[in-house]
Amino acid sequence: MKISIGCDHSALELKNSIIAYLKAKGHEIIDRGTYTKDSCDYTDYGYLVAKDIKDKVCDRGIVICYTGIGMSIIANKVKGVRCALVMDKDAAKLTREHNDSNCLALSAKYTGDAYAKEIVDTWLETEFSFNERHARRIAKISKYEEEF
């Protein structure tokens, strides 16, 4: 799978760890930065990942900041992106099954390295359920995006 990933300065170590982990599992990674611990704006890197999703440069995206909140907000501003801030494996599974999320937001503060990798694995391995009610809701989201 081709995955675009980006972070802010507070999440650099977690991003780099996840990249190494995913590469070792055979995934192709697009690293959108940041590349240093110098203070930066999460918005710049979250947008690049979300744009990769919109432009179909990647299959999925992962964004990481201190809480994950800011990254999930910026990613969801891009049409066609369904980003979910996830703090546990159950939510990772459900956001794929129910929401067909194509972007995962993680918190560097609240999610440790090992558990973040478990969340990523769960999220990447779970398929959308194609349940009628979930598909209907996703279609409504897409319709609302067109409206605004």
Side-chain angles (χ1 to χ4, degrees):
M1 187 176 298
K2 192 170 188 178
I3 303 162
S4 182
I5 186 167
C7 71
D8 70 358
H9 55 281
S10 71
L12 182 62
E13 290 174 15
L14 182 57
K15 181 198 76 164
N16 289 340
S17 179
I18 289 172
I19 286 173
Y21 178 73
L22 291 174
K23 282 183 175 181
K25 293 186 95 171
H27 295 285
E28 183 179 347
I29 304 299
I30 303 168
D31 184 351
R32 291 301 188 188
T34 193
Y35 308 105
T36 72
K37 288 194 169 204
D38 296 336
S39 183
C40 65
D41 296 333
Y42 65 85
T43 50
D44 300 338
Y45 305 99
Y47 173 74
L48 291 174
V49 172
K51 189 172 182 322
D52 282 348
I53 295 166
K54 177 190 168 288
D55 294 342
K56 299 188 185 332
V57 172
C58 63
D59 301 302
R60 301 219 196 133
I62 299 172
V63 292
I64 316 166
C65 66
Y66 191 62
T67 64
I69 297 167
M71 281 293 205
S72 65
I73 291 170
I74 187 62
N76 280 314
K77 295 294 182 189
V78 176
K79 182 178 174 180
V81 174
R82 289 179 306 282
C83 183
L85 171 56
V86 172
M87 305 263 186
D88 63 54
K89 292 189 307 183
D90 188 50
K93 183 176 187 277
L94 291 172
T95 192
R96 286 289 307 133
E97 288 179 344
H98 293 194
N99 310 115
D100 197 17
S101 61
N102 51 16
C103 190
L104 174 68
L106 294 170
S107 166
K109 176 181 175 152
Y110 300 115
T111 310
D113 184 82
Y115 196 59
K117 290 171 184 167
E118 290 181 38
I119 290 169
V120 168
D121 281 342
T122 300
W123 184 73
L124 290 174
E125 294 166 4
T126 304
E127 296 297 325
F128 177 55
S129 70
F130 291 98
N131 179 287
E132 185 276 328
R133 75 176 187 265
H134 300 310
R136 181 181 69 242
R137 293 167 185 161
I138 292 168
K140 284 184 177 185
I141 291 169
S142 296
K143 180 184 173 211
Y144 299 152
E145 281 180 331
E146 293 297 326
E147 199 174 315
F148 297 99

